[in-house]
Amino acid sequence: MKREIKFRAWHIKDKVMFDVIELGLGEGSSMCVYSKKFNRVRESNYRNEFEVMQYTGLKDKHGKEIYEGDIVRIMDEKEKLEVFWEYGAFFVNNQKLWKQVSLGNWGSGQIELLGNIYENSNLLDGKGE
């Protein structure tokens, strides 16, 4: 199965999430990020201004796209899990099993997107939804 490659980014200073149209490398360690939200290319030191997240290629049971940094619930469990990229795959931490589990182990109908770690970090500390 072919996976669509796309990104979104969190603008750290402005605290806004946006879809990334194009990524590029600038001089030194800077990154160019083009977005309809900014309607121009933003060049900055990647680590200081943006957090860029990749699309997993999966959608949740409501058809919402799942990205790195998203918070999901699997199969109506109470546990809320953060999606992350490691070793060439997307994972969630399963606290019950004390290990990382590949997000691809579940079908879209078994995953529910709850939010993300930037706009909804309270979900992971038990204070949200």
Side-chain angles (χ1 to χ4, degrees):
M1 185 169 133
K2 189 175 176 182
R3 182 171 62 85
E4 184 178 9
I5 306 296
K6 59 184 181 177
F7 299 88
R8 71 176 184 197
W10 174 251
H11 191 276
I12 295 168
K13 181 180 158 201
D14 294 342
K15 298 193 182 321
V16 64
M17 188 73 72
F18 59 93
D19 293 327
V20 173
I21 304 299
E22 186 176 329
L23 289 174
L25 297 175
E27 292 186 28
S29 63
S30 68
M31 175 173 274
C32 300
V33 178
Y34 181 77
S35 162
K36 288 182 182 178
K37 184 175 240 29
F38 293 117
N39 201 22
R40 65 186 189 286
V41 172
R42 297 284 301 252
E43 186 170 338
S44 70
N45 183 324
Y46 170 72
R47 297 194 189 280
N48 291 337
E49 193 170 346
F50 301 108
E51 290 289 339
V52 177
M53 295 149 275
Q54 188 174 0
Y55 175 49
T56 65
L58 297 173
K59 294 182 180 180
D60 82 340
K61 65 184 187 179
H62 303 292
K64 296 177 187 172
E65 295 177 341
I66 301 171
Y67 284 79
E68 289 176 87
D70 278 343
I71 301 168
V72 298
R73 184 182 338 219
I74 309 293
M75 299 176 4
D76 298 322
E77 293 286 327
K78 291 185 179 186
E79 189 174 12
K80 298 162 189 147
L81 309 166
E82 178 185 344
V83 177
F84 63 95
W85 172 263
E86 193 170 88
Y87 307 119
F90 292 98
F91 291 91
V92 292
N93 276 325
N94 185 323
Q95 300 301 326
K96 292 177 186 173
L97 301 176
W98 293 98
K99 67 178 186 177
Q100 298 169 353
V101 179
S102 173
L103 188 61
N105 286 352
W106 295 282
S108 293
Q110 298 173 304
I111 304 170
E112 182 179 14
L113 177 64
L114 302 175
N116 64 68
I117 61 171
Y118 302 98
E119 298 169 306
N120 314 101
S121 61
N122 61 321
L123 292 175
L124 290 176
D125 58 17
K127 295 178 184 164
E129 191 197 312

